[in-house]
Amino acid sequence: MVHSSNIVKAVEICRKYGSYKILLFGSAARKPLAEANDIDIVCYGVRERRARSNLFFDLSALDDPVDITFDDDVDAHILRDWEAYGQVLWAESTDAPTVPASAALSLQQVF
């Protein structure tokens, strides 16, 4: 079971380190959060090694396991597949974050 509050926190952490887009994929994007076993996210635009290291550290403090991937570390074909079925949680070009319905209220309270 994944908690929507941890998805919100993961978005905040990725944004803190300069991500311009955050994509949720995997079980949390395909199933109800109650059936998901972890949070899989792609963090776009974080290039500095120190920022990535700090991001990993901050995410490790969450109650749910988070598997983070960076957009420049993934084969373009795989990234397109994830983008096809995943959910953009936040992007600089959007006016408001989008999240799984169960997490929407929590994100609205944060942003």
Side-chain angles (χ1 to χ4, degrees), residues 2-17 19-30 33 36-46 52 55-60 62 64-74 78-79 82-83 85-90 98-100 103 107:
V2 169
H3 299 89
S4 61
S5 61
N6 284 320
I7 294 175
V8 172
K9 290 174 187 174
V11 169
E12 292 171 342
I13 291 167
C14 290
R15 288 184 65 198
K16 173 181 169 182
Y17 292 103
S19 180
Y20 65 83
K21 180 178 174 182
I22 301 144
L23 176 77
L24 178 71
F25 69 101
S27 62
R30 293 188 314 262
L33 293 181
N37 54 353
D38 64 355
I39 301 168
D40 298 301
I41 56 176
V42 179
C43 189
Y44 293 74
V46 178
R52 288 182 177 196
L55 199 153
F56 277 116
F57 179 79
D58 289 356
L59 289 173
S60 71
L62 298 179
D64 292 316
V66 179
D67 294 328
I68 184 158
T69 305
F70 297 97
D71 62 306
D72 62 336
D73 287 343
V74 179
I78 294 171
L79 189 58
W82 290 345
E83 289 172 340
Y85 77 80
Q87 292 184 296
V88 175
L89 297 176
W90 184 84
T98 58
V99 295
L107 271 177

